[in-house]
């Protein structure tokens, strides 16, 4: 990953002093570059990111177009973003101090996920060789630290002090951020509702970006998986087999397309027409669109395995594609209503 520009602004609502930096971060510093790069990768590969499209009259979209054309300076645009966010946060009844990290970065197509430190980010991140403008709100943490000083006698003493401006670790998720791709201006973001001036608002999509807010890939998949399980249980089918079929279908579909058609999934999972119809009704009740975007990295992560737990306390995890293959695992319902699980064709067993 190539970091083109990075700058950090400070919102200190304890001392009521905000610091808007006029120079970029020194990326020659290994600590600074490592910190910035880690957060950029996590933001780009966050499975909880919602998608959005700029409104036609979005003023921020125009500012970004001018920036990507080279008509706006990075520092000036970052200060504009910082001033808006600080102004909105300052209108909250209880404002929490934070830093705002603003970035211009590019994917490196040659970067491999194996080089990443964080396992979840590595599983979700997929290099695409694109350029992005991003900003993330780094909420300050409180932490205890040692403080070296001198006592009344003049002797050196070490005390315990509380620090109120600790940045989140590189491995931590950031709750509020946005990433905008330079060519298409496609938006991905995470945010939370805040009470600003007595009104519940989404600061990033509604206030700054002025964009729509669509469900994340993970939210879409979780909804479809829940409906599959509910329909199977309603009709007395094996919900474990049905859900593993759904995951296998998502994984196979992701190899060819980043779009998922939930109605097609129903036909693959349920063989009986009544179950297919009931599943379609459930999709309509949830108001899911005919086709939804599910990125390959999300599909691979959430659909690669299936985990079940029996009422006897036994946990079993198996590859989702094997859930419908009786050559390897089979679920048999007995006349007494109990279920037997048979694992087959096992060459060896390891303790884990």
């Amino acid at each position: 990953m190539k970091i083109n520009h990075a700058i950090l602004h400070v919102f200190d609502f304890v001392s009521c002093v905000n610091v808007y930096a006029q120079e970029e971060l020194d990326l020659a510093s290994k600590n600074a570059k490592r910190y910035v790069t880690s957060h950029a990768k996590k933001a780009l590969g966050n499975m909880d990111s919602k998608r959005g499209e700029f409104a036609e009259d979005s003023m921020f979209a125009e500012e970004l177009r001018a920036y990507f054309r080279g008509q706006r300076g990075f520092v000036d645009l970052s200060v504009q973003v910082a001033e808006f966010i600080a102004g909105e946060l300052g209108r909250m009844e209880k404002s929490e101090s934070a830093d705002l990290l603003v970035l211009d970065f590019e994917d490196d197509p040659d970067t491999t996920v194996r080089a990443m430190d964080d396992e979840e980010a590595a599983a979700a991140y997929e290099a695409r060789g694109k350029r992005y403008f991003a900003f993330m709100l780094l909420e300050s943490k409180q932490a205890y630290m040692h403080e070296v000083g001198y006592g009344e006698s003049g002797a050196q003493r070490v005390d315990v002090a509380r620090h109120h401006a600790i940045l989140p670790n590189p491995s931590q998720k950031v709750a509020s951020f946005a990433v905008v791709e330079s060519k298409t201006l496609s938006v991905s973001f995470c945010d939370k509702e805040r009470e600003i001036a007595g009104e519940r608002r989404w600061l990033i999509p509604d206030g700054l970006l002025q964009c729509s807010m669509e469900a994340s890939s993970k939210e879409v998949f979780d909804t479809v998986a829940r409906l599959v399980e509910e329909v199977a249980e309603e009709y007395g089918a094996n919900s474990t087999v049905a859900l593993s079929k759904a995951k296998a279908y998502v994984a196979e579909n992701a190899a060819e397309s980043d779009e998922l058609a939930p109605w097609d999934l129903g036909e693959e999972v349920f063989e009986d027409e009544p179950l297919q119809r009931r599943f379609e009704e459930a999709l309509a009740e949830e108001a899911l669109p005919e086709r939804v975007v599910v990125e390959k990295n999300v599909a691979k992560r959430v659909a690669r395995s299936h985990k079940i737990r029996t009422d006897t306390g036994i946990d079993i995890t198996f590859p989702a594609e094997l859930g419908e293959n009786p050559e390897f695992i089979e679920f048999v319902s007995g006349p007494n209503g109990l279920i037997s699980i048979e694992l087959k064709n096992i060459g060896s067993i390891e303790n884990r």
Side-chain angles (χ1 to χ4, degrees), residues 113-172:
V113 296
R114 287 174 294 182
M116 300 175 63
D117 296 330
D118 184 80
E119 181 180 353
E120 181 175 353
Y125 179 76
E126 180 182 39
R128 293 182 290 272
K130 298 179 181 179
R131 183 185 174 194
Y132 300 90
F133 180 89
F135 59 87
M136 50 201 69
L137 196 60
L138 307 177
E139 297 180 356
S140 297
K141 306 294 182 181
Q142 295 184 356
Y144 290 93
M145 57 181 290
H146 67 259
E147 185 175 67
V148 179
Y150 294 89
E152 295 180 359
S153 65
Q156 196 171 49
R157 186 176 70 191
V158 179
D159 290 323
V160 175
R162 194 174 188 181
H163 202 291
H164 294 267
I166 303 297
L167 292 173
N169 290 326
S171 60
Q172 289 180 289

Side-chain angles (χ1 to χ4, degrees), residues 125-279:
Y125 179 76
E126 180 182 39
R128 293 182 290 272
K130 298 179 181 179
R131 183 185 174 194
Y132 300 90
F133 180 89
F135 59 87
M136 50 201 69
L137 196 60
L138 307 177
E139 297 180 356
S140 297
K141 306 294 182 181
Q142 295 184 356
Y144 290 93
M145 57 181 290
H146 67 259
E147 185 175 67
V148 179
Y150 294 89
E152 295 180 359
S153 65
Q156 196 171 49
R157 186 176 70 191
V158 179
D159 290 323
V160 175
R162 194 174 188 181
H163 202 291
H164 294 267
I166 303 297
L167 292 173
N169 290 326
S171 60
Q172 289 180 289
K173 286 185 176 182
V174 175
S176 298
F177 67 84
V179 180
V180 184
E181 198 271 325
S182 61
K183 293 183 179 179
T184 63
L185 289 191
S186 61
V187 181
S188 63
F189 67 90
C190 280
D191 198 15
K192 58 185 179 182
E193 271 194 313
R194 296 175 172 86
E195 188 168 333
I196 301 175
E199 180 185 355
R200 301 293 297 179
R201 292 182 56 199
W202 292 82
L203 174 58
I204 290 178
D206 295 339
L208 179 61
L209 300 182
Q210 300 167 7
C211 71
S212 61
M213 183 166 59
E214 302 173 11
S216 68
S217 297
K218 188 174 185 300
E219 288 173 330
V220 170
F221 179 83
D222 288 345
T223 299
V224 171
R226 173 175 57 81
L227 296 180
V228 166
E229 192 171 6
E230 290 176 355
V231 170
E233 291 177 350
E234 180 180 344
Y235 281 80
N238 190 311
S239 60
T240 298
V241 174
L243 193 52
S244 62
K245 284 184 178 181
K247 289 185 174 183
Y249 176 80
V250 171
E252 293 172 2
N253 182 80
E256 302 176 358
S257 172
D258 60 356
E259 288 189 333
L260 175 68
W263 271 261
D264 293 343
L265 182 145
E267 295 178 0
E268 290 290 330
V269 172
F270 300 113
E271 297 179 357
D272 297 336
E273 189 173 340
L275 278 75
Q276 293 179 11
R277 287 201 304 268
R278 179 67 189 98
F279 181 69

